[in-house]
Amino acid sequence: MSPYISPLFSFTMILSLLVILCSTHWVFMWLGLEIGTLAFIPLLTWWHGATEVEATVKYFLTQAVAAAIFFFGGLVLLSSESISGVAQWLGSLGEIIILLSVLMKLGMAPIHYWVIDVVQGLNYIPGMVLLTWQKLPGLAVLSQLLSESNSHILLLLAPASALIGGLGGLGQTQMRKLLGFSSISHLGWLVVGLVINSLLGAMYFFLYIIISLPVFLSLHISGGVHLNQLRNALASNSMLSISVGVGFLSLAGLPPFLGFFIKWLVLTHSMTQFLLIASTLLIVGSLISAFYYLRISYLCLVILAPQQVMAMTNWRNTPKINLISVILLLNIMGLLLVAALSTFTK
């Protein structure tokens, strides 16, 4: 693909989000979702590898099925306006069908299996876009579909997504699959925050991107796709090792890192809404997923250090103290940011 045409696809993805945000009818929401999908598909095959092409085909088929279900739900919703006897029942059914199609596009449990297969076949950069930006159009549609009945459905499926995301990553050693299950788990937290308050959901998504981008970029630079490969790749680069380790600690939601405070905000507001079952499932899912987060962080921050000392590298000349100080300062600034923004969500 010519590098001169990639900005056109990127601009089209941004345009699709603007179409969804400005739309008040399900047809334009569907149109915005499909424009974003069709613009993102060519970017997936940038490297023209066999695994990338296979992942792109899987992504296209999944999104096409979800789009067909979305359109069918819209037709059911449209028919409720012309049939007076069962108008309310058909309208609720149409909204539920559209809601399930959007959840399929987002990759939230129980329709999440395609995310792992697609992310496993992609490089880190398109995988990062898939797990971050590509969720934004679906979340924008989801925020406009929120109603009392839909909120109850989401409050059942979102905590289950956090739980499944934690359980699915326990036995994984592939880094891209771990990031996929991590995204599924965080999506559950995000949707719960979106149901409680749209600003809270937007804040969670924004801070999740801030945490995820350094992790994806560090893994892309290291080139490790397996835990063993990651260990060998980080053995001679202390900066990447610290970046990956701290990033996974933040994704795990451990204090004083930024990931703890975004989860703390969701739990605080969910408890004020008396969402006890949802809060319990979110906490259990987060505790389970903390196992594979801590395993990678332990590998990066504890095990690798003695190996680097014994290796013939110049890592000891790296200003480690300054680097750690900057990371801790960023986390403290994140704490102040969350504390300031939390006042607007109450």
Side-chain angles (χ1 to χ4, degrees):
M1 181 188 297
S2 173
Y4 300 103
I5 201 173
S6 59
L8 176 62
F9 293 116
S10 302
F11 175 76
T12 306
M13 293 169 61
I14 299 175
L15 181 63
S16 67
L17 178 62
L18 296 178
V19 170
I20 294 174
L21 293 176
C22 298
S23 61
T24 56
H25 197 271
W26 65 268
V27 173
F28 295 102
M29 295 181 190
W30 175 82
L31 181 63
L33 288 173
E34 297 316 299
I35 290 176
T37 300
L38 294 177
F40 181 57
I41 286 177
L43 299 179
L44 291 178
T45 57
W46 185 276
W47 284 268
H48 302 289
T51 57
E52 285 83 3
V53 174
E54 180 183 356
T56 303
V57 172
K58 293 178 180 179
Y59 177 76
F60 173 75
L61 292 177
T62 305
Q63 297 297 312
V65 172
I69 297 174
F70 190 106
F71 202 85
F72 174 73
L75 293 179
V76 174
L77 188 63
L78 184 63
S79 64
S80 65
E81 301 176 359
S82 58
I83 303 177
S84 59
V86 290
Q88 184 177 3
W89 181 80
L90 280 178
S92 300
L93 179 61
E95 290 183 1
I96 292 175
I97 294 175
I98 292 177
L99 179 67
L100 293 178
S101 67
V102 175
L103 295 182
M104 184 176 181
K105 280 183 169 291
L106 289 172
M108 197 172 79
I111 321 173
H112 64 282
Y113 297 101
W114 67 269
V115 177
I116 309 303
D117 292 335
V118 172
V119 171
Q120 176 62 19
L122 298 176
N123 291 319
Y124 282 113
I125 298 300
M128 175 183 66
V129 179
L130 174 64
L131 298 180
T132 54
W133 173 264
Q134 275 302 102
K135 294 184 182 297
L136 195 53
L139 292 173
V141 175
L142 202 63
S143 64
Q144 301 188 44
L145 293 175
L146 290 178
S147 61
E148 185 176 356
S149 60
N150 293 341
S151 298
H152 292 304
I153 297 175
L154 292 176
L155 289 177
L156 290 175
L157 296 180
S161 180
L163 188 61
I164 292 175
L167 292 173
L170 289 179
Q172 295 295 332
T173 56
Q174 298 287 335
M175 294 302 303
R176 289 175 290 192
K177 286 187 177 181
L178 284 174
L179 292 173
F181 282 112
S182 172
S183 174
I184 294 170
S185 178
H186 279 277
L187 183 61
W189 286 83
L190 172 59
V191 171
V192 172
L194 188 66
V195 171
I196 296 173
N197 190 305
S198 59
L199 182 58
L200 180 61
M203 185 194 310
Y204 193 102
F205 181 76
F206 175 71
L207 296 178
Y208 173 71
I209 290 180
I210 293 178
I211 297 172
S212 299
L213 288 183
V215 174
F216 276 98
L217 293 178
S218 300
L219 291 175
H220 174 70
I221 295 173
S222 66
V225 297
H226 192 273
L227 282 179
N228 294 330
Q229 294 179 353
L230 180 66
R231 179 180 59 189
N232 296 329
L234 297 180
S236 59
N237 196 325
S238 60
M239 182 175 294
L240 287 181
S241 179
I242 294 176
S243 176
V244 174
V246 172
F248 275 99
L249 286 177
S250 187
L251 287 174
L254 295 179
F257 301 104
L258 188 59
F260 166 76
F261 296 102
I262 56 177
K263 291 185 176 181
W264 174 77
L265 284 176
V266 174
L267 286 177
T268 301
H269 289 79
S270 63
M271 292 304 295
T272 57
Q273 301 291 330
F274 300 101
L275 303 176
L276 300 179
I277 298 178
S279 301
T280 303
L281 291 178
L282 289 177
I283 294 173
V284 172
S286 182
L287 290 175
I288 296 175
S289 61
F291 172 78
Y292 56 83
Y293 287 131
L294 293 176
R295 180 176 60 177
I296 299 174
S297 299
Y298 184 79
L299 175 69
C300 297
L301 300 177
V302 180
I303 296 181
L304 285 181
Q307 294 179 355
Q308 291 175 348
V309 172
M310 299 302 295
M312 297 300 296
T313 60
N314 60 351
W315 82 281
R316 286 171 289 180
N317 299 325
T318 305
K320 302 179 293 301
I321 298 178
N322 294 333
L323 178 61
I324 297 174
S325 301
V326 170
I327 294 174
L328 293 178
L329 179 61
L330 290 177
N331 281 282
I332 294 174
M333 292 176 60
L335 169 60
L336 297 177
L337 174 64
V338 174
L341 293 178
S342 63
T343 59
F344 297 99
T345 61
K346 293 182 179 180

